Amino acid sequence: MKYLLSVFLLAGTLLISACDDDDPTVTQRSVGADQMEQYIPYLEGKRVGLVVNPTSRLADGEHLIDSMLAEGVNVTTLFAPEHGLRGEQDAGEEVEDGIDPETGLPVISLYGDHKKPTPEDLENIDVMVFDMQDVGVRFYTYISTMQLVMEAAAENSRQVMVLDRPNPNGNYIAGPIMEEEHASFVGMAPIPVVHGLTIGELALMINGERWLSNGVFLAEADLQIVEVPDYNHSMPYSLPIAPSPNLQTDESITYYPTLGLFESTTISVGRGTDTPFEVIGYPDVNLKINYEFQIADDDSAWPQQGQYVYGESYRIAPPANTKFTLEPLYHWYWNMRDLGYTDEEIVDRPEWLAQLIGTETVMEQIRLGTPYQDIEQSWQPELEAFQQLRDTYRLYPD
């Protein structure tokens, strides 16, 4: 099979487009990592670091690590994000350095206290290759890992190659733009909660808008993007591999932007059950809506570990609106307040909520009883401005 190589520049960044000149019809499952004929030549003679996880697989199921080694690429180091190199860690659990037992390569953790590659980490590397499946939500930490990798590469004169993948929530944008004072590992860039970009497009935006910084200067990475063939943002995309332990279904990925906000509350979103991010519940029978479930009594469950909780199941009664919305958070907050719960008993980590949603204003408005529709409408001017910015960096049509 022959391939044509198309190379062009956007905002000073090299983009690599694949085109099969024998058969122009390429399935959506063919992602950036599958275009090996296009990017392997760029890696010849270079020392390569791979930022990968269990989703870093080609269409035939082979892991990128194995494919790279089979092609003779000089892979020197593996970098593990949240959940680990092979996805064995739960959310928030520290990932440790070590040796990959399958390849013997050193593994450097990019989670825990060490989220950004150090100059020492990059000594034996010329180019960092990033390939992980994102879900299109600002507080999903893989994109923060990508931004820190780009930042470290810019500071240390290393190249970055992003193997692009579809965004399963890529057909819309929603939520407030993150305010600078609430920047954290669950939100580094000033983008909406749902940003509507692939990781490649987001990398271009981060680079082009000079959001990389080492505290002294605004940096720009030597960045290359390997595109997804024949992709557009309106295409539905069913992930072949769960991107993390608690996002096991297409539905959970769809609901994640909305239900992820509950992580800052005492209300369970089903961690420790078979349906995480498809249920909402609290251990008070007066809150029972259409479902009750028990949370596992182990470390994978928080909050309400080991308890029966009452609430609702999106699997039993899917919401009419599956896009990001404040409606569930607003209604659960006021249902619990009406039952006598204090603000602190509901949202026990308000600073975490501000980091997740990107502003303190939303919770202040909810406390005042501002209808959630009005709160969401107030975001429209900044979302319209972001849409224009997004159009500047889009690689794929909507």
Side-chain angles (χ1 to χ4, degrees):
M1 183 178 290
K2 296 180 294 181
Y3 286 81
L4 300 176
L5 177 63
S6 173
V7 179
F8 61 99
L9 292 172
L10 176 63
T13 300
L14 181 67
L15 305 177
I16 306 175
S17 299
C19 177
D20 180 346
D21 68 349
D22 288 331
D23 181 4
T25 303
V26 184
T27 66
Q28 187 190 341
R29 282 181 58 99
S30 180
V31 296
D34 291 298
Q35 316 311 311
M36 299 195 77
E37 294 87 349
Q38 311 308 320
Y39 62 83
I40 290 297
Y42 288 91
L43 301 178
E44 290 180 359
K46 296 179 180 178
R47 300 166 299 174
V48 175
L50 296 183
V51 188
V52 291
N53 70 358
T55 68
S56 310
R57 294 183 180 274
L58 282 64
D60 62 6
E62 186 172 41
H63 199 283
L64 183 67
I65 298 172
D66 302 319
S67 299
M68 288 277 200
L69 293 175
E71 291 290 329
V73 175
N74 182 19
V75 178
T76 61
T77 313
L78 305 176
F79 292 84
E82 182 178 8
H83 306 300
L85 189 69
R86 305 191 185 279
E88 59 274 14
Q89 274 82 26
D90 206 344
E93 185 177 345
E94 187 169 348
V95 178
E96 297 181 352
D97 295 348
I99 299 294
D100 176 35
E102 297 191 21
T103 63
L105 290 169
V107 178
I108 295 177
S109 168
L110 294 181
Y111 194 67
D113 295 332
H114 180 193
K115 293 182 174 69
K116 178 177 176 179
T118 66
E120 292 74 23
D121 295 337
L122 300 177
E123 280 183 352
N124 197 32
I125 292 171
D126 300 308
V127 55
M128 293 282 279
V129 176
F130 184 97
D131 179 39
M132 293 193 295
Q133 178 64 58
D134 184 45
V135 299
V137 182
R138 187 185 63 226
F139 48 73
Y140 201 63
T141 63
Y142 296 165
I143 59 174
S144 295
T145 296
M146 181 178 71
Q147 183 165 339
L148 291 175
V149 166
M150 291 172 60
E151 194 168 278
E155 294 167 4
N156 293 279
S157 301
R158 303 297 195 269
Q159 296 177 314
V160 177
M161 175 179 283
V162 174
L163 307 183
D164 210 3
R165 290 179 176 268
N167 177 354
N169 286 309
N171 62 332
Y172 74 106
I173 61 174
I177 303 294
M178 190 203 68
E179 297 168 354
E180 184 177 359
E181 60 266 34
H182 298 297
S184 70
F185 194 59
V186 292
M188 297 185 66
I191 58 178
V193 172
V194 181
H195 52 72
L197 298 163
T198 66
I199 55 170
E201 291 170 326
L202 181 57
L204 288 174
M205 182 180 288
I206 290 169
N207 217 35
E209 295 302 307
R210 302 299 194 272
W211 290 338
L212 303 175
S213 173
N214 68 353
V216 178
F217 63 91
L218 300 179
E220 182 178 6
D222 183 350
L223 176 65
Q224 300 180 23
I225 309 295
V226 181
E227 296 181 44
V228 179
D230 298 323
Y231 173 68
N232 68 69
H233 285 281
S234 63
M235 286 181 175
Y237 185 62
S238 179
L239 272 58
I241 298 172
S244 54
N246 282 287
L247 292 180
Q248 292 290 331
T249 66
D250 293 339
E251 290 77 14
S252 66
I253 292 167
T254 298
Y255 304 143
Y256 177 70
T258 293
L259 299 190
L261 299 180
F262 283 85
E263 301 274 67
S264 63
T265 75
T266 58
I267 300 163
S268 170
V269 291
R271 288 184 183 272
T273 75
D274 293 334
T275 56
F277 291 100
E278 295 185 64
V279 293
I280 318 171
Y282 188 84
D284 185 336
V285 70
N286 295 306
L287 287 164
K288 184 173 182 179
I289 299 175
N290 67 14
Y291 195 61
E292 67 178 87
F293 55 97
Q294 185 177 19
I295 307 296
D297 191 14
D298 59 43
D299 291 340
S300 69
W302 48 271
Q304 317 307 344
Q305 182 173 329
Q307 298 189 55
Y308 277 97
V309 298
Y310 306 90
E312 54 189 316
S313 168
Y314 281 11
R315 181 169 285 192
I316 292 175
N321 178 20
T322 60
K323 293 183 178 180
F324 172 78
T325 176
L326 289 177
E327 182 178 6
L329 182 65
Y330 181 91
H331 284 152
W332 272 81
Y333 175 83
W334 278 107
N335 284 343
M336 292 184 70
R337 286 300 302 268
D338 289 344
L339 288 172
Y341 289 94
T342 66
D343 192 85
E344 293 76 15
E345 288 173 321
I346 305 168
V347 183
D348 59 338
R349 294 188 291 171
E351 70 289 342
W352 182 246
L353 178 58
Q355 290 179 338
L356 290 174
I357 203 164
T359 176
E360 292 180 355
T361 304
V362 167
M363 197 61 229
E364 293 170 355
Q365 292 170 308
I366 290 176
R367 290 190 188 102
L368 291 172
T370 306
Y372 72 88
Q373 299 96 326
D374 293 349
I375 300 173
E376 293 176 358
Q377 185 60 37
S378 71
W379 305 330
Q380 290 312 302
E382 61 184 12
L383 285 175
E384 290 172 6
F386 179 79
Q387 181 64 64
Q388 295 182 7
L389 180 66
R390 176 178 175 268
D391 289 342
T392 303
Y393 295 100
R394 265 195 303 111
L395 300 175
Y396 316 100
D398 283 334

